[in-house]
Amino acid sequence: LLAGALAVVANSGDVYAENSPLASVEAEVIDAAGAYEVVPLAAAAARSGRFSGVLGLGCIIKGETRHDEFLAHAVTSGLANISIATGVPTALGVLTVNTKRQALERSGGRRGSKHGNKGAEAMFALIHTMASCAAIAAGQPAPALAHAAPDKLS
């Protein structure tokens, strides 16, 4: 997930016009102990004033109980609430899967997987949302999407 997200950052200048705010994105990685801990770290990052957007990456693998459901709900709601409370865009790159194999298929770890890298997709969504929010605040039209994620195509 992280490698995919960082690849999007590294290549953003190749995808977007030179004068676009999407062309000069930088990333800082803050490690979390687990998926639940992504939320307070994302909140601290958003409140710090240092970041234009925050991406939460992680993986929740289903166990024998429903714990994964509660954890996934807390993380997704937490990230959404951070964006609402701070005005800093957040994006969700936390996988919720049944098996380790599914996690690898969705994080670029299995060649030929039709699922791609959800970390890359989440970073792309964050960058686009950051640019759209900035354009809206400036009274400008939001930029068009450069491409749609493979699983979002009809």
Side-chain angles (χ1 to χ4, degrees):
L1 294 174
L2 180 58
L6 293 176
V8 169
V9 171
N11 295 318
S12 63
D14 297 337
V15 175
Y16 299 101
E18 190 175 309
N19 61 346
S20 168
L22 300 176
S24 61
V25 177
E26 295 180 12
E28 180 176 326
V29 176
I30 302 169
D31 292 327
Y36 188 79
E37 290 75 23
V38 166
V39 176
L41 292 171
R47 286 192 308 264
S48 74
R50 294 175 43 213
F51 303 98
S52 299
V54 178
L55 171 61
L57 294 175
C59 183
I60 301 168
I61 300 176
K62 182 165 181 55
E64 294 180 10
T65 68
R66 293 183 51 214
H67 181 258
D68 62 302
E69 295 173 34
F70 301 114
L71 184 57
H73 178 73
V75 173
T76 55
S77 296
L79 286 172
N81 287 332
I82 290 165
S83 190
I84 292 165
T86 65
V88 174
T90 60
L92 176 66
V94 178
L95 299 176
T96 53
V97 296
N98 292 316
T99 65
K100 183 177 178 181
R101 178 183 175 145
Q102 288 177 339
L104 290 171
E105 288 174 346
R106 287 156 179 79
S107 61
R110 287 179 102 46
R111 291 196 184 274
S113 172
K114 66 180 179 183
H115 300 290
N117 187 313
K118 300 303 180 186
E121 292 176 20
M123 181 60 84
F124 174 77
L126 177 62
I127 292 170
H128 181 76
T129 302
M130 289 166 33
S132 295
C133 288
I136 292 166
Q140 302 294 320
L145 282 170
H147 62 56
D151 65 338
K152 308 298 186 275
L153 297 174
S154 52

